Amino acid sequence: MAKTVMVVDDSASLRQVVGIALRGAGYEVIEGCDGKDALSKLTGQKVHLVISDVNMPNMDGITFVKNLKQMPAYKFTPVIMLTTESQEGKKQEGQAAGAKAWVVKPFLPTQMLAAVSKLVMP
Amino acid sequence: MELDQALQTFIMESRELLEAMEESLLGLESEPDDRDAIGAIFRAAHTIKGSGGLFGLDGIVAFTHVVENVLDRVRNNEVPINADLIALLLSCRDHIGMLVEQIAADSAAKPDHETETTGIMLLNQLKSYQAGTQEQSPLPAITSSQTKPQSQTAVVAQSGGTVENDNWHISLRFSHDVLRNGMDPLAFIRYLDNMGDIVHIVTLPDAMPFATDMDPESCYLGFEIDFHGENVDKATIEGVFEFVREDCSLRILPPHSRIEEYTQLIDELPEDKIRLGDLLVNCGALTWNELDEALRLQSLNAEFGCDASASRDSGNLGQILVEQNMVQPELVDAALGKQKLAKENKVQESKLIRIQADKLDQLINLVGEMVIAGAATSLLAQRTRDPALHESTSTLSRLVEEIRDSALQLRMVQIGETFSRFNRVVRDVSKEIGKDIGLAISGAETELDKSVVEKIGDPLMHLVRNSMDHGIEKSEIRLQRGKPAKGTLHLNAYHESGSIVVEVGDDGGGLNRARILAKALEKGLVTANQTLSDQEVYGLIFEAGFSTAEAVTNLSGRGVGMDVVRRNIEALRGTVEIDSREGVGTTVKIRLPLTLAIIDGFLLGVGSASYVVPLDMVMECIELSEAERQETRESNYINLRGTVLPFIRLRDQFREQGKAGRRENIVVVQYVGQMAGLVVDELMGEFQTVIKPLGKLFGNLKGISGSTILGSGEVALILDVPALIQRAVNKEAQQLAYSQTK
Amino acid sequence: MTISIESSNGVCHARVTGEMTIYHAAEMKGELLPCLDYGTEVEIDLSEVSEIDTAGFQLLLLTKREAAKVGKSLRLVAHSPATLEVLDLFNMASYFGDPVMMPRAAH
């Protein structure tokens, strides 16, 4: 059974490229364009991993993860947060919210694939 | 292929972000404390950098990285926002835009020399806003593998021999919280197994407490792993566990480590020494002899009271410490959170989907075909005189019309985006020419067809520049004239009877009627005895050859390439009017059709050919009597209820073969207050039609603006009424002049 | 996840269906351990386990250990592919001592 990864980022091109890389490796991918959109798409279905940007309109990544972790179906779902190295403060906030894995932007598709496979094999 | 598409998305997205960035930057000029604007600017740079990296666009990433860095400092109030910084950031924005456009033109392109120079110059200027220390490279990297020193793997021979084992040895102890944090040790071990070969693994459940105390969501496992991998270094192995750095203790011993290092390992691990010794031998990490040696060294250390780990520089075994007492998740201030949410909702409730323009065009094309086919069906239905069929086709026609309108609606966009681009223009140009000019925008929400929007930018730019260059006076003069020192340029848009009107207005000096007239006389555009209304005089500045740049400045009016503006607008089936009061200001009014795709037309027949005239330009149709036909054979005008109506015979105009029909009709068309007649053979009635542009080959055809396909499948040409009227009027004027000189 | 339990002739048969993951860990612990009270022998049928993570695996370990403590035998039978993979990856097949069909050569 394919593992499902949710990609949440306000950049459509980022979602597209990450989606191409992950689907190519055998994951199923669902997308959210911001925290609010992502939450509306999480209806209890199995999601093995969430990748989320920090900086997003409507609902930022930290608030999104806090909300995600409140949902019984996703409280143990691993989260990879996308960050820039200048966001140390955000990182602490995000860790507290429940995002333990961080990947620095920019990254190459292969690097994202590696990061994802460390947490969930396809 | 897929990636190409993603790159297109990236380019479009970057353009949008850059536009938003510019808008916010300009907003900061008046409101430097606008946190939302600063956030939006940061996010634009952040997203472009992040997504650019995915495509390996290192040039964009490297430059944007520095910009983002400065913006982050602005965001954190470490750098104050001021006019200089805004100007610099605007230039940076432009530079990023340039880099993106170069990628858009050729995805493999390297920036040209000029762009590169600009980039270096901007980076230099940004330096003073950057944090003191040199930033690390922004190129793709995942944190931990980069931040961990890699040199520690070097093994220096010291006391004690090295072990025979040529595998890496990895000791892992997970924290209780690791599972709750969503991390599964299984996953990392799986990954490790994929990266090389787990030669041997021992799973240690020793830490699991009594059943009653065992928390099923806690992790109690540890692992001793012997691992072999090609081209693996310590950093690679650490990288596998980067996400659990804080949730595990990780000890890595390279192949052929010193026995001493195993001693230390045994020391540090929580389990009983003997059990660990067994484990390490079981793992194949140590032989029994090596274990003996390790334990001997250990007792030696203990004897001399020196801690094994203190004897070498601290922790060079690459241990990754468990960081305990992690900050408890803060509960969000619920009230604050809700408040914020409500605000965000308001900001962007509308859900948008992105559609490729050509898909929409295709839809509109199909709708067009449907309109045509529908017209043909209606025609047939009418002939049958079957009332039921007639009714059903008329319902169908109504639906088709609605579909047409909805489809066209899809392509409607607000003009606001086009307008707001001028914020930047007005700002830059007023600086450049040393005038104080503000921009006022109204009617930004007015919608018009995307195809029109795309083409209106250039004429608007022309008009705006003209107003700024020649319309609005310098502050001193304005003050002398009792006007506010700051001039205002006004962009406005609204709908008016099926058209959209776009106005470019200024509160400048206005046009000088006398000087325009003098100039027009000099150029031979008018004759001395012509009486012209103000409108007509002002309209002269749109005449080709009316002005050269030199003349315009002398006129203290406007006119640089105004004829080009008019040509562009007319190509869109639009008109330009100008309204001006000396000393008070000038307003240029552009009137455009809402869409370029479909018109209600009036079908005319000349010989075997059919022509279409936009219905809203048709005033009336008159049948030419035999007497009038005789009368007008030589002239080009008739007397229409006491006024002179110039006309054109389409038969002559388009060199239609054959003799004129038994009857001829005049279709009176009007455009911008001017009227002319078109002489045709046959009037075929109203006809809803889809405009198909003429190919490039026919682009220069005079008097034709497009083509369409009739219900019967025949092609009909759409007449360019403004051009035809112009031709008729000119012809008449020439003839008049000719007869006068005679 | 559901666990069905039947007991006959002193043998307790438990059959786990669905995910043995952390989401169900508390529930599983509450159902698996009492199995030891239902018979002198306990057999856990893993054929319907679709997914198992470290939390699920730990509970099998715990049950095995507790069984040994009270002198009862615990057998894991009919391993599903997911459970076999974990047993293999953790190299714990011999710990449980049940005959299994390993999907690949053991190290």
Side-chain angles (χ1 to χ4, degrees):
Chain A
M1 198 185 62
K3 300 284 193 281
T4 304
V5 180
M6 176 169 224
V7 184
V8 188
D9 196 299
D10 53 329
S11 161
S13 61
L14 182 138
R15 296 197 303 272
Q16 227 170 327
V17 176
V18 172
I20 291 168
L22 294 184
R23 288 190 185 99
Y27 295 95
E28 266 182 36
V29 180
I30 46 180
E31 298 181 15
C33 59
D34 57 49
K36 204 170 144 236
D37 182 48
L39 283 181
S40 75
K41 285 177 180 159
L42 291 171
T43 51
Q45 77 274 41
K46 184 90 189 163
V47 173
H48 294 85
L49 174 71
V50 171
I51 301 169
S52 172
D53 191 17
V54 175
N55 243 295
M56 291 182 292
N58 290 328
M59 183 190 287
D60 66 84
I62 309 265
T63 315
F64 164 59
V65 174
K66 278 180 187 167
N67 277 293
L68 180 80
K69 293 284 167 179
Q70 304 284 322
M71 297 164 82
Y74 307 108
K75 65 174 176 173
F76 299 119
T77 302
V79 178
I80 293 180
M81 287 243 105
L82 308 179
T83 178
T84 53
E85 62 267 48
S86 56
Q87 289 177 314
E88 268 314 306
K90 284 279 169 205
K91 194 161 168 177
Q92 280 177 12
E93 235 185 291
Q95 300 246 356
K100 302 295 172 181
W102 292 74
V103 168
V104 175
K105 270 186 179 184
F107 49 79
L108 291 171
T110 47
Q111 291 173 311
M112 179 46 72
L113 190 57
V116 168
S117 354
K118 282 172 196 173
L119 294 168
V120 183
M121 276 287 168
Chain B
M1 204 57 217
E2 265 185 318
L3 268 173
D4 277 358
Q5 267 180 21
L7 186 65
Q8 289 313 311
T9 312
F10 168 73
I11 288 162
M12 270 164 59
E13 177 178 278
S14 301
R15 285 179 185 148
E16 276 168 26
L17 286 165
L18 288 170
E19 224 153 85
M21 185 174 176
E22 178 175 284
E23 207 168 302
S24 300
L25 276 169
L26 293 171
L28 281 185
E29 289 196 319
S30 48
E31 265 184 83
D33 296 326
D34 185 346
R35 302 305 302 174
D36 287 351
I38 294 173
I41 297 164
F42 173 83
R43 194 159 57 234
H46 169 77
T47 305
I48 291 172
K49 178 182 118 178
S51 305
L54 270 175
F55 297 96
L57 304 172
D58 295 350
I60 291 181
V61 171
F63 183 81
T64 316
H65 171 73
V66 179
V67 178
E68 184 198 21
N69 182 261
V70 170
L71 287 169
D72 191 44
R73 300 195 72 210
V74 170
R75 206 167 55 148
N76 298 331
N77 294 321
E78 289 164 36
V79 171
I81 263 288
N82 56 33
D84 288 349
L85 182 54
I86 291 174
L88 175 57
L89 288 172
L90 279 170
S91 308
C92 289
R93 183 219 87 103
D94 292 349
H95 183 64
I96 299 170
M98 181 64 82
L99 294 173
V100 170
E101 291 313 320
Q102 283 176 0
I103 296 296
D106 174 10
S107 59
K110 291 270 165 270
D112 56 41
H113 180 70
E114 194 187 335
T115 317
E116 225 166 328
T117 319
T118 316
I120 292 167
M121 192 192 75
L122 289 170
L123 286 176
N124 271 330
Q125 291 179 35
L126 283 170
K127 250 182 203 151
S128 57
Y129 297 99
Q130 270 175 287
T133 51
Q134 197 55 46
E135 275 297 309
Q136 71 179 56
S137 148
L139 291 180
I142 290 179
T143 17
S144 67
S145 51
Q146 208 182 39
T147 50
K148 283 282 155 189
Q150 302 183 9
S151 56
Q152 311 291 350
T153 45
V155 178
V156 185
Q158 269 185 2
S159 63
T162 58
V163 301
E164 279 173 29
N165 180 15
D166 52 7
N167 297 324
W168 291 84
H169 186 77
I170 304 167
S171 291
L172 269 172
R173 299 293 180 274
F174 285 97
S175 83
H176 290 175
D177 282 330
V178 68
L179 299 174
R180 269 186 292 270
N181 285 338
M183 307 291 158
D184 191 345
L186 255 175
F188 302 104
I189 292 170
R190 238 179 235 135
Y191 186 83
L192 188 69
D193 195 26
N194 265 23
M195 208 173 71
D197 188 18
I198 294 182
V199 181
H200 199 90
I201 177 170
V202 177
T203 302
L204 281 172
D206 299 32
M208 192 143 67
F210 290 122
T212 43
D213 297 333
M214 189 267 190
D215 179 343
E217 290 173 5
S218 288
C219 183
Y220 301 102
L221 302 183
F223 301 91
E224 294 295 326
I225 301 168
D226 250 36
F227 174 76
H228 184 81
E230 301 295 324
N231 303 321
V232 165
D233 62 10
K234 193 152 115 190
T236 325
I237 297 176
E238 281 172 0
V240 173
F241 300 97
E242 63 169 327
F243 297 142
V244 276
R245 258 195 305 172
E246 295 177 352
D247 268 325
C248 80
S249 85
L250 170 65
R251 293 174 182 80
I252 302 170
L253 292 186
H256 308 295
S257 286
R258 294 194 311 276
I259 292 180
E260 212 182 8
E261 288 176 300
Y262 277 94
T263 311
Q264 193 195 355
L265 178 73
I266 294 172
D267 249 0
E268 286 169 357
L269 290 175
E271 288 85 7
D272 175 77
K273 309 275 171 277
I274 305 299
R275 167 136 170 83
L276 276 172
D278 282 354
L279 278 176
L280 291 172
V281 174
N282 278 341
C283 253
L286 296 178
T287 62
W288 284 112
N289 284 340
E290 286 165 347
L291 176 63
D292 282 347
E293 171 74 5
L295 292 177
R296 191 186 61 78
L297 277 171
Q298 191 197 22
S299 57
L300 215 68
N301 282 339
E303 206 171 302
F304 286 100
C306 86
D307 180 16
S309 62
S311 64
R312 59 204 83 211
D313 37 70
S314 60
N316 66 352
L317 290 177
Q319 51 184 302
I320 297 172
L321 297 172
V322 187
E323 213 168 288
Q324 278 157 347
N325 304 327
M326 283 230 314
V327 195
Q328 281 300 306
E330 283 171 85
L331 286 173
V332 215
D333 180 339
L336 187 71
K338 263 187 191 156
Q339 208 180 4
K340 216 173 152 202
L341 214 68
K343 193 179 161 207
E344 282 159 352
N345 281 350
K346 238 203 272 169
V347 175
Q348 206 176 21
E349 191 56 68
S350 60
K351 289 260 171 191
L352 298 174
I353 53 167
R354 199 186 289 276
I355 298 179
Q356 266 177 318
D358 51 4
K359 283 191 187 166
L360 262 186
D361 290 346
Q362 159 111 25
L363 174 70
I364 295 203
N365 252 330
L366 284 173
V367 170
E369 304 291 344
M370 192 162 78
V371 168
I372 293 166
T377 312
S378 293
L379 213 69
L380 289 174
Q382 267 170 11
R383 283 192 202 150
T384 61
R385 297 179 193 276
D386 175 343
L389 180 60
H390 196 199
E391 190 168 324
S392 131
T393 50
S394 72
T395 312
L396 202 62
S397 301
R398 189 174 45 78
L399 288 172
V400 166
E401 231 165 89
E402 277 174 33
I403 289 178
R404 177 198 66 171
D405 290 347
S406 315
L408 287 177
Q409 194 60 42
L410 290 178
R411 258 201 342 200
M412 293 301 230
V413 293
Q414 297 194 344
I415 200 171
E417 206 181 306
T418 309
F419 276 0
S420 57
R421 238 179 277 157
F422 286 99
N423 273 317
R424 177 73 182 277
V425 174
V426 170
R427 178 191 170 280
D428 288 357
V429 172
S430 54
K431 276 204 174 150
E432 175 193 319
I433 60 178
K435 289 182 186 174
D436 189 11
I437 302 172
L439 177 67
I441 289 176
S442 52
E445 67 295 333
T446 313
E447 288 186 326
L448 73 168
D449 196 286
K450 191 174 182 328
S451 55
V452 181
V453 158
E454 281 164 359
K455 290 175 181 141
I456 200 186
D458 280 353
L460 276 185
M461 179 68 82
H462 239 107
L463 293 172
V464 165
R465 277 228 59 149
N466 251 301
S467 268
M468 296 184 71
D469 284 338
H470 309 298
I472 296 175
E473 317 91 326
K474 293 221 181 251
S475 297
E476 312 86 73
I477 302 173
R478 292 180 62 87
L479 288 171
Q480 276 170 29
R481 292 183 180 172
K483 293 201 245 188
K486 185 177 187 149
T488 304
L489 191 85
H490 191 201
L491 288 175
N492 183 28
Y494 54 91
H495 284 158
E496 197 180 76
S497 58
S499 305
I500 179 172
V501 179
V502 182
E503 291 181 345
V504 180
D506 64 59
D507 62 350
L511 295 174
N512 185 326
R513 184 192 153 99
R515 298 183 79 160
I516 294 173
L517 212 49
K519 186 81 197 169
L521 273 171
E522 182 192 320
K523 293 267 172 190
L525 293 168
V526 289
T527 48
N529 48 6
Q530 264 178 293
T531 44
L532 294 167
S533 68
D534 284 358
Q535 279 281 331
E536 285 168 320
V537 173
Y538 297 146
L540 288 171
I541 67 168
F542 290 110
E543 288 300 321
F546 172 76
S547 60
T548 62
E550 185 55 36
V552 172
T553 2
N554 289 343
L555 268 172
S556 81
R558 46 199 69 217
V560 182
M562 288 295 244
D563 59 317
V564 179
V565 172
R566 188 172 70 175
R567 264 213 307 282
N568 284 343
I569 300 293
E570 284 174 353
L572 299 173
R573 289 190 284 121
T575 58
V576 197
E577 280 168 43
I578 193 159
D579 196 11
S580 178
R581 278 179 60 196
E582 211 172 331
V584 179
T586 306
T587 300
V588 178
K589 229 185 235 193
I590 299 172
R591 193 180 296 271
L592 292 164
L594 285 179
T595 173
L596 301 179
I598 294 181
I599 55 167
D600 284 317
F602 192 76
L603 197 59
L604 315 166
V606 179
S608 58
S610 307
Y611 297 92
V612 177
V613 180
L615 189 62
D616 53 5
M617 294 179 179
V618 176
M619 302 276 291
E620 60 182 311
C621 302
I622 314 158
E623 193 181 330
L624 273 182
S625 66
E626 193 50 43
E628 282 168 321
R629 287 181 74 177
Q630 296 298 337
E631 225 173 88
T632 57
R633 191 130 296 161
E634 293 302 315
S635 66
N636 289 310
Y637 56 92
I638 60 160
N639 180 338
L640 178 68
R641 292 184 290 273
T643 57
V644 174
L645 180 76
F647 64 76
I648 283 186
R649 287 173 202 279
L650 290 188
R651 178 174 294 279
D652 300 343
Q653 174 73 25
F654 298 115
R655 313 251 164 85
E656 188 63 42
Q657 300 298 316
K659 287 197 67 161
R662 274 192 303 112
R663 283 188 187 161
E664 277 185 319
N665 295 281
I666 287 195
V667 179
V668 182
V669 291
Q670 68 104 30
Y671 187 72
V672 220
Q674 284 187 315
M675 288 203 297
L678 304 174
V679 179
V680 302
D681 295 351
E682 217 182 327
L683 302 175
M684 287 157 17
E686 286 178 35
F687 171 73
Q688 195 182 58
T689 185
V690 181
I691 301 179
K692 296 189 179 288
L694 290 169
K696 276 213 176 96
L697 196 56
F698 304 109
N700 291 326
L701 260 187
K702 290 248 168 8
I704 302 284
S705 64
S707 68
T708 188
I709 297 167
L710 303 177
S712 62
E714 281 172 65
V715 172
L717 295 173
I718 297 167
L719 298 179
D720 180 359
V721 172
L724 288 174
I725 291 180
Q726 210 50 52
R727 174 171 277 251
V729 171
N730 289 348
K731 229 174 172 178
E732 184 220 21
Q734 278 166 16
Q735 216 162 53
L736 226 58
Y738 177 69
S739 60
Q740 274 166 357
T741 52
K742 248 194 327 200
Chain C
M1 193 257 355
T2 54
I3 302 180
S4 61
I5 295 163
E6 276 171 40
S7 189
S8 61
N9 302 328
V11 181
C12 173
H13 297 272
R15 184 187 172 93
V16 188
T17 307
E19 283 177 16
M20 292 188 76
T21 62
I22 185 164
Y23 285 100
H24 309 288
E27 202 184 330
M28 279 190 290
K29 186 188 174 201
E31 292 188 45
L32 283 179
L33 284 179
C35 288
L36 298 174
D37 302 332
Y38 301 149
T40 50
E41 284 177 40
V42 180
E43 205 173 81
I44 303 180
D45 180 339
L46 299 175
S47 60
E48 295 300 317
V49 175
S50 58
E51 207 178 321
I52 179 165
D53 64 5
T54 301
F57 172 76
Q58 263 190 161
L59 285 171
L60 292 179
L61 270 185
L62 179 76
T63 317
K64 180 79 181 176
R65 192 186 73 185
E66 295 305 302
K69 260 191 200 165
V70 294
K72 296 188 178 180
S73 83
L74 176 85
R75 286 193 302 277
L76 305 181
V77 299
H79 304 73
S80 70
T83 51
L84 272 186
E85 193 250 357
V86 172
L87 271 187
D88 178 36
L89 198 60
F90 281 168
N91 189 26
M92 289 298 270
S94 60
Y95 177 89
F96 286 97
D98 305 301
V100 294
M101 289 290 290
M102 273 303 171
R104 57 174 192 177
H107 296 298

